Amino acid sequence: QVQLVESGGGSVQAGGSLNLSCVPSGYNVSGACMAWFRQAPGKEREGVAALWPSANNDYGMDSVKGRFTISRDDAKNTLYLQMNDLAPEDTAQYICAARDRTCSGWWLGLDYWGKGTLVTISS
């Protein structure tokens, strides 16, 4: 059974940084499409970033480009989301997701989901 466990969320002031981690069990990050989604209170879930098995990446919105970086450590079997220059509008539950192999249409949703880690940014 695949489980994805996120960590690294918290409360920081605007302009600060957080580095989220996602550690799967029963799953190999290097051979999968791995992604981060977020869902703010009262809003729909949105795709933040995805990482192909080839290590190509894609960011789901212009607002995070240049501030967020998705990466993985194959030796640690861990997915990361480095978030810099955080703003109040980044406040959300950040959720790790995965699918075997392809990231085609990743922003529509993947097969496996974590429970999320909460990020709160104060102004």
Side-chain angles (χ1 to χ4, degrees), residues 20-24 29 71-80:
L20 306 183
S21 299
C22 171
V23 180
V29 299
S71 65
R72 70 178 192 237
D73 185 327
D74 293 347
K76 295 182 178 180
N77 199 35
T78 300
L79 178 75
Y80 300 100

Side-chain angles (χ1 to χ4, degrees), residues 22-99:
C22 171
V23 180
S25 60
Y27 209 69
N28 189 340
V29 299
S30 64
C33 173
M34 302 294 299
W36 289 97
F37 290 75
R38 70 185 185 187
Q39 187 164 20
K43 295 187 177 181
E44 292 190 354
R45 185 183 64 202
E46 53 185 359
V48 177
L51 190 66
W52 271 248
S54 63
N56 287 340
N57 57 45
D58 185 31
Y59 293 89
M61 57 202 79
D62 288 342
S63 64
V64 305
K65 293 178 181 178
R67 298 190 300 125
F68 290 10
T69 303
I70 188 171
S71 65
R72 70 178 192 237
D73 185 327
D74 293 347
K76 295 182 178 180
N77 199 35
T78 300
L79 178 75
Y80 300 100
L81 184 69
Q82 175 67 44
M83 305 187 295
N84 298 325
D85 194 20
L86 286 159
E89 50 267 35
D90 295 318
T91 293
Q93 186 84 349
Y94 282 73
I95 306 160
C96 176
R99 177 203 290 162

